[in-house]
Amino acid sequence: MMRITQALLWGAVGLAAADAFLPGIPTVPYQTAASAGGFSLAHVQRIVVDRRYATSRDTAGQTLNPPTLFEFASLFAEDLRDALGTSAHAVKGTNRCSTGSIFLTIDEDGEYKNAAGESSSEGYTLSVDDKGIVVTGASALGVWWGTRTVLQQGLLALAESGTPSVPHGQGADVPGWRARGMMLDAGRHYYPPDFLTDLCGYMSFFKQNTLHLHLSDNLYNNQNYTRAQSLELYARFRLWSDDPAVAGLNKYANESYDRATFDAVQSSCAARGVTVLPEIEAPGHALVITQWKPELGLRTDLSLLNISHPDTIPTMKTIWRTFLPWFHSKTVSIGADEYTGPESDYNTFVNAMDGFIGTESGKSIWIWATFPPIWYVVDSRHSLTVSWYNSTWTNVYPNVHWEYFEDDPYYDYILHNYSVVNSNDDFYIVNKWAPPGGYLNTINLTRTFHGSPDGRFWRPYVFNQHNATDNPAPSNPLVLGAIAPLWNDYGANASVYSEAYYAWREGLPALADKQWGGNLSEAAFARVFGAVQPKIPAQNLERNIPSRGDVVFNYTVNHRSSSGTVHDSSPNKYTARTNCRLAHATGRSRPALSLADGCSLETPLDSKGRNYTLTLSLRLDDLADPTHATLVTGRDSALMLTPNITLLAGGNYFRLNETVPRGRWFDLAIVGRDNRTFASVDGGDEAQFLTRMGINGVYFHWAEIAIEAPVKTVGGQSSGWTGLLGGMSLTSTA
Ligand SMILES: *[C@@H]1O[C@H](CO)[C@@H](O)[C@H](O)[C@H]1NC(C)=O
Ligand SMILES: *[C@@H]1O[C@H](CO)[C@@H](O)[C@H](O)[C@H]1NC(C)=O
Ligand SMILES: *[C@@H]1O[C@H](CO)[C@@H](O)[C@H](O)[C@H]1NC(C)=O
Ligand SMILES: *[C@@H]1O[C@H](CO)[C@@H](O)[C@H](O)[C@H]1NC(C)=O
Ligand SMILES: *[C@@H]1O[C@H](CO)[C@@H](O)[C@H](O)[C@H]1NC(C)=O
Ligand SMILES: *[C@@H]1O[C@H](CO)[C@@H](O)[C@H](O)[C@H]1NC(C)=O
Ligand SMILES: *[C@@H]1O[C@H](CO)[C@@H](O)[C@H](O)[C@H]1NC(C)=O
Ligand SMILES: *[C@@H]1O[C@H](CO)[C@@H](O)[C@H](O)[C@H]1NC(C)=O
Ligand SMILES: *[C@@H]1O[C@H](CO)[C@@H](O)[C@H](O)[C@H]1NC(C)=O
Ligand SMILES: *[C@@H]1O[C@H](CO)[C@@H](O)[C@H](O)[C@H]1NC(C)=O
Ligand SMILES: *[C@@H]1O[C@H](CO)[C@@H](O)[C@H](O)[C@H]1NC(C)=O
Ligand SMILES: *[C@@H]1O[C@H](CO)[C@@H](O)[C@H](O)[C@H]1NC(C)=O
């Protein structure tokens, strides 16, 4: 067994030799065999799981329900099928030499050390020769990351040489840091459960292990608002419980996760090595709590809890008592950022929650750093601070650092023995922040690839990108890792779900390389990303529809449509079904479908992401309610007349100033072009769908919105209109 040393991991960073690494995301330290060649994944039939370790789990990670090695192997087999079309399946066995197989095993004595020289259960060794592939992990999770390497290398070789092969050779790999991932603000914007699990699929492919989910928040509580306005302001708590103890806390069942749903999200993510780390935010950003119990808000700002009110801490304990049993993570976040109430109260609050959560559940906590604790250390009035250093249930008390204006991660925390997760706002996304200035719409790749003071790769220990004196050593064990957040300050209508993904599409993998300790160059990143990204398994965030050619479907209603099906004239043969009658269409050679009595046309598809052109040939005869007719629905959106041409997506209406004609035939085209969406009638000028964004009653502006095409159902029970459908087509160009 190869022993990994810190020197191997870190010394390797400076190596220039082309064969010292496999170009993956992240890169993999690897010595290719002298005899050039590779093992092809094309004909792998068996993933052989070492019988001795089939039920072994990694217990060192953050999740409380880690998968077994066999469970990981089964998903790996599915991934090979999905990405490469192999017929591989997982079996238990003992033979690492069986030709043409991939053998997965664990070396209990293997020692893999992270950047701080601490043992990591996430390391693995990859050995490839002409007989097959052996992945030996420090744990089942280490093996899983090894399978990501196999998959990535197969996809890269497939794209570049036509054969999905992994080069002969051997390498040992281990992440430099234990917390690697992203944070999603699901408080000010809802994300459906399948979006979260797809996102975990995306992260897992790049070996990120943490999805920090910010589950409660509110829009900015403008000081000019009246109390009544504050009580009406958008504020959400995303967990839905029937427990009477929290009745009234969450008023929006349709945009919430009940326990079964949240369990399923956590399990799907854990199945791919990603732990969901939940956050319930207080004592700031807590308007949803004061909307429930207004007496708990500070008179000066209702979005801040009045910690000295006798019911505040008990209320927060009630909330945590209710939801702690839901969480499958060993760590939870209590938020605790941007509190402008009294600092001593803040300290009391954090210590009280820390104590309660530890006693109640054994979990440790993260907080966003707000007040440098050094202030309390020197201030003898705040003696409770000591428990921050000496918690009985954990030896770390991590702060998630974000902004220099609040504190300094190195001088205020690390030098005082606090653990820190690097969430510096260099990598913040605030969805559609108003230009110019401020936060970007996508992660700044320059900072990722050149964000160290010396101009080289950014790393989790780099807090100050310009001054090395302000950063701890690469091996400092108090740097737990890095989490890059996406915030929704502009609220729910600023974006559709997938725009959070697009904000991270390139940046997430680029950061994942650096969070792991990889050393992919910016040029190599573009090459590897382009090759592997289109085939990432376990997600369809881009709503791709397999298609032979540009035309995805073309339904033209004709006499053959009468048997309940409408033929697709594209090579894809996505035959649609209908229970509508055929009707003669005056002035047209072909009949049309009569959309009446709640009948519909159903395609076998649901949604199409950018780019697309969806065209409908229609005659509208009657609208039951001219302000609410639904032409086409899909998984992510609905095309409506309100009476203006409207797209409904993520619960928000995006209306044009244009309408469509009544009582005559017209063509309506909806166009998704890159990050914008348009409509045009009868080939006329395109009108752009826009969203009107604002955060505190003042910063209003119009911004682009990228809505997926609804392609599932035309008409239907509550569509609210009758008319004729001549045809519908979808292409991948815009
Ligand atoms: C509050 O109202 C005053 C007076 O109308 C205005 O000048 C100020 O910009 C407002 N502040 C915010 C944050 O909206
Ligand atoms: C906070 O609550 C305490 C106790 O109810 C009360 O005396 C105090 O005035 C409140 N402070 C603010 C700023 O609302
Ligand atoms: C922290 O805990 C250890 C072990 O219980 C104890 O020896 C030490 O004195 C404590 N330190 C402080 C600052 O309380
Ligand atoms: C941090 O921990 C080290 C090693 O345990 C100790 O020597 C040092 O005094 C601690 N620093 C502070 C500020 O507590
Ligand atoms: C949309 O694309 C344009 C052009 O590439 C870009 O400038 C803009 O930032 C993008 N908007 C978002 C929200 O990503
Ligand atoms: C990206 O980061 C680099 C390095 O910090 C900076 O020079 C550049 O202005 C940033 N790009 C944008 C669009 O802000
Ligand atoms: C770098 O940081 C150190 C410590 O904060 C400071 O003394 C020094 O002036 C800084 N250097 C530059 C070039 O800003
Ligand atoms: C769909 O088929 C109709 C009838 O053949 C044709 O006029 C139209 O151009 C086709 N649309 C697309 C997008 O191929
Ligand atoms: C959830 O219900 C609210 C209130 O009826 C509605 O405004 C919102 O659009 C719904 N959200 C979704 C995603 O359907
Ligand atoms: C509709 O027209 C109004 C007034 O001209 C304009 O402010 C608004 O931006 C238009 N809406 C869209 C979606 O273009
Ligand atoms: C609908 O379009 C008209 C212009 O045709 C515009 O005046 C009106 O504001 C639009 N309605 C909405 C809700 O956008
Ligand atoms: C969509 O179209 C735009 C502009 O035509 C192009 O730049 C972009 O690469 C296309 N995106 C996809 C996913 O095809």
Side-chain angles (χ1 to χ4, degrees):
M1 180 63 216
M2 190 185 235
R3 303 280 155 163
I4 310 305
T5 63
Q6 200 183 321
L8 176 67
L9 178 67
W10 287 96
V13 169
L15 288 184
D19 66 348
F21 292 93
L22 291 175
I25 307 175
T27 51
V28 178
Y30 200 76
Q31 289 298 331
T32 47
S35 58
F39 175 79
S40 172
L41 301 175
H43 305 297
V44 170
Q45 286 176 3
R46 299 192 312 154
I47 314 289
V48 182
V49 178
D50 190 332
R51 190 179 296 283
R52 292 172 300 164
Y53 300 108
T55 59
S56 171
R57 301 169 192 270
D58 169 42
T59 55
Q62 278 291 333
T63 179
L64 292 172
N65 55 355
T68 64
L69 182 59
F70 194 82
E71 286 164 345
F72 273 138
S74 303
L75 279 190
F76 176 42
E78 276 178 29
D79 291 350
L80 285 175
R81 279 199 297 269
D82 292 351
L84 298 170
T86 69
S87 57
H89 60 282
V91 296
K92 289 173 201 157
T94 49
N95 188 357
R96 67 171 58 205
C97 295
S98 111
T99 300
S101 67
I102 299 177
F103 186 69
L104 306 181
T105 185
I106 288 174
D107 177 5
E108 288 161 333
D109 303 323
E111 212 183 315
Y112 297 85
K113 296 207 166 154
N114 68 15
E118 299 160 335
S119 289
S120 168
S121 64
E122 297 185 89
Y124 67 93
T125 295
L126 174 66
S127 309
V128 184
D129 59 24
D130 53 6
K131 292 207 204 62
I133 293 179
V134 179
V135 181
T136 308
S139 72
L141 182 59
V143 173
W144 173 252
W145 300 137
T147 66
R148 302 304 86 187
T149 298
V150 172
L151 202 53
Q152 286 194 15
Q153 294 309 310
L155 287 172
L156 181 60
L158 180 66
E160 297 191 342
S161 71
T163 305
S165 65
V166 184
H168 293 162
Q170 172 159 313
D173 193 14
V174 56
W177 292 271
R178 63 177 98 159
R180 308 179 305 277
M182 312 305 284
M183 190 228 73
L184 184 63
D185 176 0
R188 288 174 289 196
H189 195 297
Y190 173 68
Y191 292 94
D194 62 285
F195 179 82
L196 302 179
T197 51
D198 275 24
L199 187 58
C200 285
Y202 199 71
M203 294 170 61
S204 168
F205 186 76
F206 302 111
K207 303 179 188 170
Q208 286 188 326
N209 63 8
T210 307
L211 174 60
H212 175 171
L213 261 194
H214 182 76
L215 290 166
S216 64
D217 211 325
N218 52 268
L219 294 192
Y220 179 78
N221 189 30
N222 193 329
Q223 65 197 30
N224 290 354
Y225 288 154
T226 62
R227 185 176 170 84
Q229 283 175 308
S230 291
L231 287 171
E232 288 298 307
L233 188 63
Y234 187 96
R236 293 291 186 274
F237 187 91
R238 296 292 175 201
L239 301 175
W240 180 272
S241 165
D242 290 327
D243 190 329
V246 291
L249 169 60
N250 182 343
K251 305 177 188 72
Y252 303 91
N254 69 334
E255 294 188 352
S256 294
Y257 314 116
D258 62 15
R259 185 163 188 176
T261 305
F262 205 65
D263 275 347
V265 169
Q266 293 177 94
S267 299
S268 309
C269 290
R272 293 188 167 268
V274 179
T275 303
V276 173
L277 195 147
E279 173 182 341
I280 296 174
E281 167 86 285
H285 294 264
L287 189 61
V288 73
I289 293 162
T290 58
Q291 287 180 346
W292 178 39
K293 297 193 174 195
E295 67 278 13
L296 302 188
L298 280 179
R299 264 191 310 280
T300 44
D301 182 346
L302 210 51
S303 72
L304 308 177
L305 295 182
N306 179 351
I307 293 160
S308 61
H309 188 287
D311 200 30
T312 295
I313 287 178
T315 297
M316 289 314 301
K317 287 182 177 173
T318 298
I319 294 173
W320 279 106
R321 188 183 292 113
T322 305
F323 294 104
L324 276 170
W326 292 33
F327 301 146
H328 302 178
S329 161
K330 294 177 189 171
T331 301
V332 295
S333 171
I334 65 163
D337 69 311
E338 296 188 306
Y339 187 70
T340 52
E343 293 156 22
S344 56
D345 284 0
Y346 174 88
N347 194 29
T348 302
F349 176 82
V350 171
N351 284 310
M353 300 321 297
D354 186 26
F356 178 76
I357 289 167
T359 309
E360 186 80 8
S361 67
K363 297 184 193 299
S364 34
I365 67 165
W366 284 4
I367 63 166
W368 296 100
T370 298
F371 296 119
I374 187 170
W375 296 354
Y376 304 115
V377 176
V378 298
D379 180 343
S380 58
R381 283 178 305 154
H382 305 296
S383 55
L384 269 177
T385 309
V386 73
S387 75
W388 290 22
Y389 294 97
N390 243 19
S391 145
T392 48
W393 45 87
T394 170
N395 58 0
V396 291
Y397 187 85
N399 286 284
V400 181
H401 175 265
W402 71 289
E403 268 273 14
Y404 274 99
F405 78 70
E406 289 204 315
D407 44 42
D408 185 298
Y410 187 45
Y411 296 101
D412 291 340
Y413 298 118
I414 288 181
L415 289 183
H416 291 84
N417 290 345
Y418 287 88
S419 303
V420 171
V421 177
N422 187 344
S423 289
N424 210 359
D425 74 345
D426 285 328
F427 298 111
Y428 269 27
I429 302 295
V430 177
N431 241 335
K432 305 218 186 128
W433 185 268
Y439 296 109
L440 302 180
N441 286 325
T442 52
I443 286 173
N444 186 333
L445 293 186
T446 309
R447 288 192 186 142
T448 311
F449 289 99
H450 307 282
S452 281
D454 64 1
R456 289 184 58 81
F457 310 132
W458 170 84
R459 300 276 185 214
Y461 64 86
V462 176
F463 294 101
N464 187 331
Q465 299 201 348
H466 308 287
N467 189 339
T469 326
D470 283 350
N471 295 320
S475 61
N476 193 309
L478 294 172
V479 179
L480 295 188
I483 304 282
L486 178 145
W487 299 104
N488 284 304
D489 293 43
Y490 280 92
N493 77 331
S495 57
V496 298
Y497 310 134
S498 60
E499 286 176 299
Y501 156 74
Y502 280 102
W504 280 343
R505 185 176 182 270
E506 288 83 15
L508 181 156
L511 281 174
D513 177 70
K514 307 311 172 212
Q515 292 175 342
W516 179 278
N519 55 10
L520 204 57
S521 69
E522 196 166 358
F525 172 76
R527 179 190 134 215
V528 180
F529 180 76
V532 302
Q533 196 272 349
K535 294 212 170 171
I536 297 176
Q539 53 82 36
N540 188 9
L541 289 158
E542 296 188 4
R543 298 293 190 263
N544 289 314
I545 299 177
S547 181
R548 291 183 215 135
D550 177 47
V551 181
V552 179
F553 61 66
N554 190 357
Y555 303 118
T556 306
V557 179
N558 58 30
H559 294 286
R560 287 163 56 213
S561 309
S562 56
S563 56
T565 59
V566 179
H567 175 70
D568 167 16
S569 64
S570 87
N572 301 315
K573 303 284 176 252
Y574 286 127
T575 306
R577 305 196 57 80
T578 184
N579 57 354
C580 297
R581 287 181 306 107
L582 278 187
H584 173 68
T586 312
R588 286 166 67 102
S589 57
R590 284 192 299 263
L593 276 189
S594 171
L595 270 291
D597 304 323
C599 78
S600 63
L601 173 90
E602 298 277 343
T603 80
L605 307 170
D606 51 26
S607 194
K608 171 82 174 84
R610 54 183 85 170
N611 292 335
Y612 67 82
T613 301
L614 173 69
T615 309
L616 292 153
S617 170
L618 278 178
R619 195 186 81 189
L620 289 178
D621 294 332
D622 186 49
L623 269 62
D625 172 357
T627 68
H628 204 274
T630 306
L631 300 178
V632 197
T633 56
R635 177 173 174 187
D636 301 296
S637 57
L639 174 61
M640 303 179 65
L641 299 173
T642 65
N644 297 12
I645 300 169
T646 299
L647 283 167
L648 169 64
N652 295 294
Y653 293 87
F654 302 95
R655 294 181 171 89
L656 295 178
N657 286 331
E658 282 67 20
T659 57
V660 296
R662 301 269 290 275
R664 72 161 175 86
W665 284 94
F666 63 93
D667 283 345
L668 171 60
I670 306 296
V671 178
R673 184 178 301 125
D674 210 18
N675 62 20
R676 296 177 296 162
T677 316
F678 304 87
S680 84
V681 177
D682 285 332
D685 289 347
E686 288 180 345
Q688 188 181 352
F689 290 90
L690 296 168
T691 183
R692 185 167 182 262
M693 299 175 41
I695 40 174
N696 57 3
V698 280
Y699 300 140
F700 281 105
H701 64 284
W702 292 89
E704 66 273 30
I705 186 102
I707 303 173
E708 286 80 5
V711 297
K712 184 153 186 51
T713 306
V714 184
Q717 279 306 326
S718 48
S719 66
W721 60 281
T722 60
L724 296 176
L725 175 72
M728 175 166 76
S729 67
L730 179 69
T731 67
S732 302
T733 43

